[in-house]
Amino acid sequence: MIIQGRHIGVDARITVCYKKLNRPAGLKNFYPTPNPKEYDMLPEFFEFFNPTKVIYQAGVTSDLKPELELIGITRYFVISDQPIHDLGLVKRVTDGLESAGIEITGMYLDVTQDAVLNNVKKCADAISASGAEGIVAIGGGSVIDTAKAANILFSEGGDLVEDYSGANMLTRPLKPLVVFPTTAGTGSEVTKVAVIYDSENKEKLAFPDKYLLPNLAVLDPELTLSLPPKMTAATGMDALTHAVEAYVGIEASPISDAFAIGAIELVMKHLVAATENGNDVEARGGMLIAATMAGISFSHSMCGCVHGMAHTCGAHFRVPHGVANGILLPCGMEYNFEEIKEKLARLAPVMGEDISGLDEEAAARKAIAAVRNLIDNLNRLGALPNRLRDAGVPEDGLETIAEGALNDGTSFYNPRPVEAEELLPYIRNYY
Ligand SMILES: [Fe+2]
């Protein structure tokens, strides 16, 4: 792990050597510059770039001809994983593609739970050998990230680590990439980063580049109907955490705020229903849109200490990412409270809370209460632990979590400076 660096707004514990950042000349915020805390003050600088076309409709997977014609190629290689294949989702998508006149030149179904470096190379070789002109990814974040990284090698050749480590190393658009998310959480369908695990050196590598943004993200809620309740709750809480951390983060802008607020409203409305009844297409749709909007928001405004703690929970205690975020989101809101209470007060009504007659501080507390209430509802459904002890964290591991949050790349972006000793008492409250 390179310490001297900056976080690139990815969903993992990543830093990238700052010397390798090829930022265009003239951009002021080479290092994060806190944007004003007061909501009505405009930031001095921000950028927003999201060229991925997003389409949404239940069942749209079988009606993609017009969109695919716009991209203009006919030979696609499919990347997914075995569980998604076994659920019949790969066939569902390829049937839709073939009915739109697309030829499937081959498939790679060996993506593992983490996107792994070795798989990227094998996958890219298979794509090239198949004669494909573009890539289709069907799955969650690991599948989509594998497809993004494989597209670098497929389009440009070379060695991923040797030639593309760092940020913004690509100089031109890659071959077309069409993604079909089958979970509602990571937002990888609209983020510019591929996170790849180097199992030999046991580190996660980030490849942030605007040319990794997919050409088309197909949001078809029918592809998420089979997601089990625990996965639904955990990935949904990941999406909510992306949105809340992006909204209160120091690089938030009016545009990232708009996406964050939209995502938060949708999660609060639909997550319990989607968890309770997996076949509720409207709730599934709401969550899929929420995850994508949250992805756009945190891809621009970054995440904070909740993700820092969650990354450590995952690395040391194997707590699933969304579960750790779900337990610790109110913890992070409390730790940052003095810095973010104006924005939390604005979030409370978005979360369905009545704040009439309340002062700013009381309204802000209502936002935290709303998140805790959501967690308790998911807990009552047996879909989400609400304490770290129930997620397999040992009591003597709490200091490790606080230290990990301090050393995580996300600490650059947390509204309140992350100090392990100061954070620890807040974490204890969630043990
Ligand atoms: Fe996340």
Side-chain angles (χ1 to χ4, degrees):
M1 186 62 63
I2 298 163
I3 302 298
Q4 188 180 31
R6 67 167 281 180
H7 184 251
I8 307 296
V10 297
D11 193 9
R13 185 188 171 192
I14 304 294
T15 52
V16 177
C17 178
Y18 75 90
K19 287 179 181 168
K20 291 184 178 177
L21 281 168
N22 292 337
R23 297 206 65 154
L27 296 189
K28 290 182 179 175
N29 64 341
F30 188 84
Y31 280 102
T33 308
N35 285 335
K37 283 180 205 166
E38 290 75 19
Y39 187 82
D40 53 4
M41 284 177 65
L42 296 179
E44 182 186 314
F45 171 90
F46 72 92
E47 58 185 345
F48 185 85
F49 183 70
N50 184 59
T52 301
K53 181 166 187 181
V54 176
I55 59 168
Y56 168 86
Q57 187 183 6
V60 72
T61 296
S62 59
D63 185 23
L64 288 172
K65 196 159 192 263
E67 296 302 332
L68 294 166
E69 281 176 353
L70 282 176
I71 297 175
I73 61 168
T74 57
R75 295 163 59 81
Y76 282 91
F77 186 94
V78 170
I79 300 174
S80 189
D81 63 28
Q82 205 59 50
I84 299 289
H85 177 267
D86 294 346
L87 285 167
L89 299 179
V90 172
K91 182 170 187 319
R92 191 163 177 156
V93 172
T94 55
D95 282 353
L97 295 172
E98 283 169 347
S99 72
I102 297 300
E103 179 189 345
I104 307 298
T105 63
M107 286 191 198
Y108 185 89
L109 301 175
D110 292 334
V111 176
T112 46
Q113 198 166 7
D114 281 318
V116 180
L117 197 54
N118 291 343
N119 282 0
V120 172
K121 174 88 175 74
K122 280 188 219 165
C123 190
D125 289 345
I127 302 167
S128 298
S130 77
E133 300 167 288
I135 301 173
V136 163
I138 309 161
S142 299
V143 166
I144 296 172
D145 283 6
T146 299
K148 287 174 175 171
N151 198 14
I152 297 175
L153 303 183
F154 168 51
S155 299
E156 298 290 1
D159 182 276
L160 198 61
V161 176
E162 288 290 315
D163 300 326
Y164 303 103
S165 287
N168 305 318
M169 301 297 282
L170 297 169
T171 56
R172 57 182 177 175
L174 303 179
K175 301 275 176 64
L177 171 62
V178 178
V179 298
F180 295 77
T182 59
T183 65
T186 70
S188 183
E189 65 276 7
V190 284
T191 66
K192 62 182 177 184
V193 178
V195 180
I196 304 297
Y197 184 58
D198 177 356
S199 50
E200 262 178 41
N201 296 309
K202 294 193 173 11
E203 61 178 344
K204 282 193 170 180
L205 309 170
F207 299 88
D209 199 300
K210 66 178 181 292
Y211 292 122
L212 293 181
L213 282 158
N215 299 59
L216 176 65
V218 180
L219 306 186
D220 181 351
E222 291 183 1
L223 298 180
T224 66
L225 296 182
S226 47
L227 203 62
K230 286 182 180 173
M231 287 272 287
T232 302
T235 52
M237 287 306 296
D238 187 26
L240 180 63
T241 308
H242 293 156
V244 172
E245 293 212 281
Y247 185 69
V248 302
I250 64 168
E251 290 215 317
S253 74
I255 297 182
S256 65
D257 280 359
F259 282 93
I261 288 170
I264 290 164
E265 190 168 18
L266 285 167
V267 172
M268 301 307 287
K269 185 171 178 192
H270 293 294
L271 180 54
V272 170
T275 304
E276 208 164 18
N277 175 11
N279 289 316
D280 183 335
V281 176
E282 189 182 334
R284 291 295 199 184
M287 285 308 302
L288 202 47
I289 299 167
T292 295
M293 294 183 76
I296 294 170
S297 66
F298 94 89
S299 186
H300 289 84
S301 172
M302 317 299 177
C303 288
C305 72
V306 181
H307 268 74
M309 293 186 280
H311 294 152
T312 313
C313 286
H316 287 266
F317 310 115
R318 309 306 301 162
V319 182
H321 180 72
V323 171
N325 275 329
I327 296 169
L328 292 169
L329 176 55
C331 172
M333 294 165 87
E334 286 165 355
Y335 178 74
N336 290 319
F337 189 81
E338 286 303 320
E339 310 291 326
I340 65 173
K341 59 187 176 188
E342 182 185 0
K343 286 195 105 170
L344 287 185
R346 288 171 183 274
L347 276 189
V350 173
M351 293 175 161
E353 298 292 318
D354 179 5
I355 59 165
S356 49
L358 298 181
D359 63 15
E360 181 179 275
E361 179 150 340
R365 299 264 175 223
K366 282 266 193 180
I368 300 176
V371 172
R372 295 186 74 147
N373 190 39
L374 171 65
I375 294 166
D376 287 344
N377 285 337
L378 295 171
N379 182 257
R380 271 192 285 278
L381 292 172
L384 187 78
N386 57 5
R387 311 211 61 93
L388 290 170
R389 67 159 68 91
D390 299 328
V393 175
E395 190 162 9
D396 61 5
L398 302 186
E399 287 180 19
T400 305
I401 296 172
E403 288 289 338
L406 169 64
N407 292 319
D408 194 87
T410 53
S411 65
F412 279 103
Y413 296 95
N414 198 60
R416 174 180 171 185
V418 178
E419 300 290 348
E421 277 180 19
E422 292 175 19
L423 180 58
L424 186 57
Y426 292 87
I427 299 174
R428 283 197 198 290
N429 287 338
Y430 289 84
Y431 182 71

